[in-house]
Amino acid sequence: VLFKKFDEGRNDFEGEITEDAIRTFIGGNRLPLVIEFTQESAAKIFGGEVKNHILLFFKKEGNEDVLKGYADASAEFKGKILFIYLDTANEENARIMEFFGLKEEEVPAVRLITLQEDMTKYKPTKQGIDTATIKEFAQDFLDGKLKAHLMSEEIADDWDAKPVKVL
């Protein structure tokens, strides 16, 4: 039994008691289903067993319904994808938005990153941050249906105006 002060409050281990099984059980249940990214939570987030992170970028104040829908989407991906949110009203999160290539006018938005050997970023194929869209995005990632999102600069208007083409 694992007792905690968040989510369901208690998790019961089922299965054969082995060191690996217990480590996996604790690793999958030690963090809340949805966690806010802060300087304090960063170590827990990056030091955890789950290396697939889905991030919701939004203004937290006055959008509790968005957070509730995000939490509803997270339950079925427990132990597979860590659901994190960033309050874009917090100036400290501007660097993270920049890292994902997000502009203020694109928020609210969702992105996914894998923290394996290389950091691969994914962008949803559909717009929206409702529960169904987030679930579909997460499931498409797990099913290997998504292509990595690579950032690039905007193409200049005069890219083909000279003998040498610049893209």
Side-chain angles (χ1 to χ4, degrees):
V1 177
L2 177 67
F3 293 103
K4 52 193 183 179
K5 295 181 179 183
F6 51 84
D7 295 339
E8 58 275 282
R10 172 188 173 133
N11 295 109
D12 296 317
F13 177 79
E14 295 175 2
E16 186 179 342
I17 297 176
T18 64
E19 181 180 346
D20 285 344
I22 291 175
R23 283 184 187 275
T24 302
F25 171 73
I26 291 171
N29 290 293
R30 70 185 191 99
L31 292 174
L33 287 174
V34 176
I35 187 167
E36 181 174 9
F37 185 86
T38 63
Q39 295 301 324
E40 294 78 34
S41 67
K44 291 179 191 174
I45 290 169
F46 294 119
E49 300 290 318
V50 180
K51 299 299 180 191
N52 301 319
H53 298 173
I54 193 166
L55 296 98
L56 170 64
F57 296 85
F58 79 121
K59 287 192 168 95
K60 185 176 171 184
E61 188 176 326
N63 288 306
E64 290 77 17
D65 56 328
V66 172
L67 194 54
K68 166 102 173 69
Y70 190 62
D72 291 345
S74 71
E76 68 187 73
F77 300 101
K78 184 177 187 177
K80 299 175 197 161
I81 301 175
L82 186 58
F83 280 65
I84 304 162
Y85 70 91
L86 291 94
D87 185 0
T88 56
N90 183 343
E91 290 182 22
E92 291 179 6
N93 292 329
R95 287 191 349 258
I96 299 165
M97 285 180 58
E98 186 179 314
F99 176 75
F100 281 91
L102 281 170
K103 298 178 178 80
E104 188 68 35
E105 59 271 11
E106 295 175 298
V107 171
V110 176
R111 295 293 185 268
L112 197 146
I113 188 167
T114 59
L115 303 175
Q116 307 301 338
E117 298 83 44
D118 57 341
M119 290 172 131
T120 309
K121 302 174 207 168
Y122 298 89
K123 182 179 178 178
T125 54
K126 292 183 179 177
Q127 294 292 339
I129 56 166
D130 58 278
T131 303
T133 303
I134 292 170
K135 280 184 177 183
E136 183 180 344
F137 177 45
Q139 192 59 56
D140 284 351
F141 167 76
L142 292 176
D143 294 343
K145 295 179 182 177
L146 299 176
K147 291 183 182 175
H149 173 66
L150 303 173
M151 294 191 312
S152 62
E153 290 184 22
E154 296 293 323
I155 298 174
D157 292 335
D158 63 345
W159 72 272
D160 63 346
K162 298 177 183 171
V164 176
K165 311 297 185 217
V166 180
L167 280 178

